[in-house]
């Protein structure tokens, strides 16, 4: 193969060899310029990405430090107010009092709440708010109503210990 290329090269006139060599050099310069331009564009894009990733890493470090601080902190004590009153207050604050059918205190740390028709999303948000107050859902019966998104709920709530 090398011999064939050498033979083809030597069969060319000196002027043709010079033109081919010049075209080869020009092609090399054009390719080099194209690669440099592509690398420059990629560097700019990567620089923006690195900046974003550094900001995300800093935010993750802050969140990890906050998580460590929260894990090290003692758990908040459960409210010592009457559980029935506390649940009723939280229902009023969440705007669910109008949907509440009844609330019965079983004992000092347990209540049964009945909702006739409540939006399921509002119910879930209310339960999350109660969990933040150290009140957990012990038992629950949820039935879908004919209206989309509305449910009837009977739930037993207990104070976390």
């Amino acid at each position: 193969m090398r011999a064939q290329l050498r033979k083809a090269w030597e069969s060319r006139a000196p002027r043709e060899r010079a033109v081919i060599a010049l075209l080869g050099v020009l092609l090399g310069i054009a390719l080099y310029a194209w690669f440099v331009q592509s690398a420059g564009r990629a560097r700019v894009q990567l620089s923006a990405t690195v900046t974003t990733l550094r900001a995300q890493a800093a935010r993750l470090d802050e969140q990890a430090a906050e998580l460590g601080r929260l894990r090290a902190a003692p758990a908040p004590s459960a409210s010592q107010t009457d559980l029935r009153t506390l649940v009723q207050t939280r229902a009023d604050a969440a705007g669910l009092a109008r949907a509440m059918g009844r609330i019965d205190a079983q004992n000092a740390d347990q209540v049964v709440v009945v909702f006739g028709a409540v939006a399921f999303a509002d119910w879930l948000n209310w339960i999350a708010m109660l969990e933040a107050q150290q009140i957990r859902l012990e038992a629950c019966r949820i039935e879908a109503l004919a209206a989309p998104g509305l449910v009837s709920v009977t739930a037993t709530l207990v104070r976390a210990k």
Side-chain angles (χ1 to χ4, degrees), residues 28 54 83 115:
R54 283 184 180 155
L83 184 60
F115 288 93

Side-chain angles (χ1 to χ4, degrees), residues 46-70:
L46 288 175
S47 175
T49 302
V50 166
T51 303
T52 303
L53 289 174
R54 283 184 180 155
Q56 289 175 352
R59 195 170 39 243
L60 282 174
D61 287 342
E62 290 171 5
Q63 290 174 350
E66 177 71 10
L67 179 63
R69 187 187 64 75
L70 290 175

Side-chain angles (χ1 to χ4, degrees), residues 6 9 13 35 39 41 43 47 57 60 78 84 96 107 111 115-116 121 132 136 140 146-147 151:
R6 182 181 285 283
W9 180 255
F35 284 132
R41 272 187 274 137
R43 185 185 58 79
S47 175
L60 282 174
R84 183 181 187 284
L96 299 179
N107 58 42
V111 295
F115 288 93
R136 66 180 177 84
C140 183
V151 294

Side-chain angles (χ1 to χ4, degrees), residues 22-53:
L22 180 64
L23 289 176
V25 168
L26 290 176
L27 179 64
I29 290 171
L31 285 174
Y32 180 77
W34 181 74
F35 284 132
V36 166
Q37 182 185 15
S38 295
R41 272 187 274 137
R43 185 185 58 79
V44 169
Q45 290 174 345
L46 288 175
S47 175
T49 302
V50 166
T51 303
T52 303
L53 289 174

Side-chain angles (χ1 to χ4, degrees), residues 1-12 17:
M1 175 87 163
R2 250 185 175 182
Q4 290 175 345
L5 286 175
R6 182 181 285 283
K7 187 177 178 182
W9 180 255
E10 290 174 354
S11 69
R12 302 278 177 211
R17 286 186 207 167

Side-chain angles (χ1 to χ4, degrees), residues 83 87 109-111 113 126-127 130 135-137 155-158:
L83 184 60
V87 169
D109 292 328
Q110 183 176 7
V111 295
V113 181
W126 184 65
I127 291 298
L130 289 176
I135 300 171
R136 66 180 177 84
L137 183 64
T156 303
L157 302 169
V158 296

